[in-house]
Amino acid sequence: MKRPWAVVTRCLVLSTILLSLSGCIWGKRDGLVFNEQQSVIMEPSVLAHGVIVEQPVVTIDNYATVARINMSNSQPKAVTVMYRLYWYDDKGLKVVTSHDLQQLIPANSSMSVNAQSTSPLARNVRIYVFLPQVSGEK
């Protein structure tokens, strides 16, 4: 016959393991987590040209998701940058990607770019900024 304390100990250990494992699923979000600290991706050449791009501010206005992106140029000459927007839903899944867009940033100034998503599911945006290719480059 088994000792009663051994049975109780086994039950307590199994209960603790089950509670620990069930705690892993509580509060878990569905989908992926969108990392807002990685919402701006710039090629090093953009930084070398004195361009700074701030974190996008995403708002929902009249059922449309709009991103406002501030860009600044610290150089004494205007800089043209290219950028692409990747829109994500509230679960962190990519829903739409823009085509390459171009923006001229005047010398020693800041400007704001507004972009609207074409998807009603979009809730977050990531911007990828790069310089236009000069002919002859690969």
Side-chain angles (χ1 to χ4, degrees):
M1 179 167 192
K2 294 186 178 182
R3 297 182 188 151
W5 61 270
V7 173
V8 171
T9 303
R10 260 190 213 153
C11 286
L12 285 173
V13 168
L14 287 173
S15 297
T16 304
I17 290 172
L18 286 174
L19 282 173
S20 297
L21 291 175
S22 67
C24 294
I25 62 170
W26 289 340
K28 182 177 178 176
R29 292 180 46 165
D30 291 337
L32 305 171
V33 176
F34 182 82
N35 186 347
E36 292 183 13
Q37 294 179 347
Q38 294 178 342
S39 59
V40 176
I41 302 168
M42 291 191 295
E43 288 187 351
S45 58
V46 175
L47 287 171
H49 278 81
V51 174
I52 301 293
V53 178
E54 296 178 13
Q55 300 286 337
V57 176
V58 178
T59 57
I60 299 179
D61 187 27
N62 284 340
Y63 303 103
T65 306
V66 178
R68 185 170 155 249
I69 305 155
N70 293 323
M71 299 180 180
S72 62
N73 176 10
S74 63
Q75 297 298 313
K77 65 178 186 171
V79 176
T80 299
V81 295
M82 301 288 293
Y83 63 96
R84 189 176 310 129
L85 300 169
Y86 299 92
W87 292 92
Y88 298 86
D89 67 7
D90 58 352
K91 294 181 180 177
L93 301 173
K94 188 166 59 169
V95 291
V96 69
T97 302
S98 73
H99 56 282
D100 292 350
L101 303 166
Q102 186 171 320
Q103 184 63 52
L104 176 68
I105 307 171
N108 297 314
S109 65
S110 296
M111 61 178 312
S112 181
V113 173
N114 290 323
Q116 182 174 332
S117 173
T118 58
S119 171
L121 301 174
R123 294 295 176 265
N124 293 302
V125 68
R126 178 170 287 134
I127 182 170
Y128 171 64
V129 186
F130 55 100
L131 293 178
Q133 262 189 348
V134 178
S135 60
E137 287 184 358
K138 287 188 178 181

